[in-house]
């Protein structure tokens, strides 16, 4: 995905799976603390459903919507960590494994480091 996009501009956009089926709307965007690059989006999967984390890479913006290259069922089965707080390195690893993505250096657990802060929040 383009890394020059303001992550706050993704909030409220629609997200679609690989087949073009709507997953839901983006509630939050999580940044990698080491790089500041948007890494995960929390997508509200329905009116009474939870948020599912989706990777922003290899997703892409198409006509103002996020196209996630995975099937809706896989997205809805993603681990549920709640929203509004940091993703721990272990949680991030679970997400990488769930989607079958290669784990980058910033996703490997390291002591004294948080990953996946919510875009627009201040550092503690």
């Amino acid at each position: 995905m383009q890394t020059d996009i303001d992550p706050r501009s993704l909030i409220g956009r629609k997200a679609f799976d690989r087949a073009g089926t709507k997953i839901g709307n983006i509630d939050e965007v999580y940044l990698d603390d080491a790089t500041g690059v948007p890494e995960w989006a929390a997508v509200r999967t329905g009116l009474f459903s939870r948020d599912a984390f989706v990777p922003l890479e290899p997703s892409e913006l198409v006509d103002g919507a996020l196209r996630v290259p995975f099937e809706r069922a896989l997205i809805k089965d993603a681990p549920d960590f709640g929203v509004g707080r940091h993703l721990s390195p272990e949680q991030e690893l679970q997400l990488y494994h769930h989607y079958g993505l290669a784990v980058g250096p910033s996703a490997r657990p390291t002591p004294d480091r948080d990953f996946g802060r919510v875009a627009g929040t201040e550092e503690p």
Side-chain angles (χ1 to χ4, degrees), residues 22-119:
K22 184 179 176 187
I23 303 164
N25 293 328
I26 299 172
D27 275 347
E28 295 182 355
V29 175
Y30 289 75
L31 309 177
D32 182 296
D33 281 345
T35 64
V37 172
E39 191 164 15
W40 301 96
V43 177
R44 174 66 60 181
T45 59
L47 186 59
F48 299 107
S49 299
R50 65 179 181 86
D51 283 75
F53 286 92
V54 297
L56 290 174
E57 179 64 40
S59 299
E60 57 185 352
L61 281 177
V62 178
D63 298 326
L66 186 69
R67 178 69 60 121
V68 183
F70 300 100
E71 293 182 13
R72 188 170 195 253
L74 180 68
I75 294 165
K76 289 186 93 172
D77 286 342
D80 184 4
F81 302 122
V83 294
R85 57 183 180 235
H86 280 82
L87 288 174
S88 72
E90 292 79 16
Q91 290 170 327
E92 192 173 7
L93 280 172
Q94 286 180 35
L95 289 169
Y96 273 101
H97 292 299
H98 176 77
Y99 287 106
L101 298 171
V103 178
S106 66
R108 293 189 183 108
T110 57
D112 301 319
R113 194 142 132 206
D114 289 324
F115 288 86
R117 72 178 187 274
V118 178

